[in-house]
Amino acid sequence: MTQYLVDRRRLLGLVGLGGTALAIGACAADSDAAPAAPFQLSDAQWRARLSPAQYRVLREEGTERPYSSPLNKEKRAGTFACAGCGQPLFASTTKFESGTGWPSFWAPLRGAVATHEDRSLWMARTEVRCARCAGHLGHVFDDGPKPTGKRYCMNGVAMTFRPRA
């Protein structure tokens, strides 16, 4: 019985150390989340420029409630742009109804977004950011339609829509 308790204690200690290492690794992966961007503002300037909801998503990597964005129902021809810096991100021709509650696209405009691995929430995902201001837009998944098979699941509050004239 004593041998069992010692082994159990060792096992629990190793599990605890492993969990701590994973937590440190997850935090380290998030610490370099914001890549350098050509369009940069101070925190005060971002807060003045963006609504509280936009700031939470674009600058603090938040997520809006599903089905809360008017951009879900946007069907006109035009361009979806970054709400932070105005960078054109997605053509309306690439938008599709994913049923997820967020505006979804099968491809961004060339050079419009940057991606990197996101290990927050104890899972590996691919985060999508604006290539110009590094604002958090959402995530991309491999369950989208042809021709790319990608689903760029974006926060509507992080974008604006410009109808084609």
Side-chain angles (χ1 to χ4, degrees), residues 96 100 102 104-106 118 123-128 138-145 148-154:
F96 69 98
T100 61
W102 290 279
S104 297
F105 306 85
W106 51 263
D118 172 5
M123 64 180 98
R125 300 177 293 172
T126 303
E127 181 185 14
V128 178
H139 292 86
V140 61
F141 303 95
D142 291 324
D143 60 0
T148 65
K150 300 289 185 189
R151 174 173 52 96
Y152 286 80
C153 189
M154 304 291 97

Side-chain angles (χ1 to χ4, degrees), residues 118-135:
D118 172 5
R119 291 195 165 272
S120 63
L121 303 178
W122 302 102
M123 64 180 98
R125 300 177 293 172
T126 303
E127 181 185 14
V128 178
R129 289 181 172 268
C130 173
R132 185 167 180 244
C133 71

Side-chain angles (χ1 to χ4, degrees), residues 8-19:
R8 185 172 147 202
R9 283 187 196 129
R10 265 192 208 142
L11 177 63
L12 290 174
L14 289 173
V15 168
L17 285 173

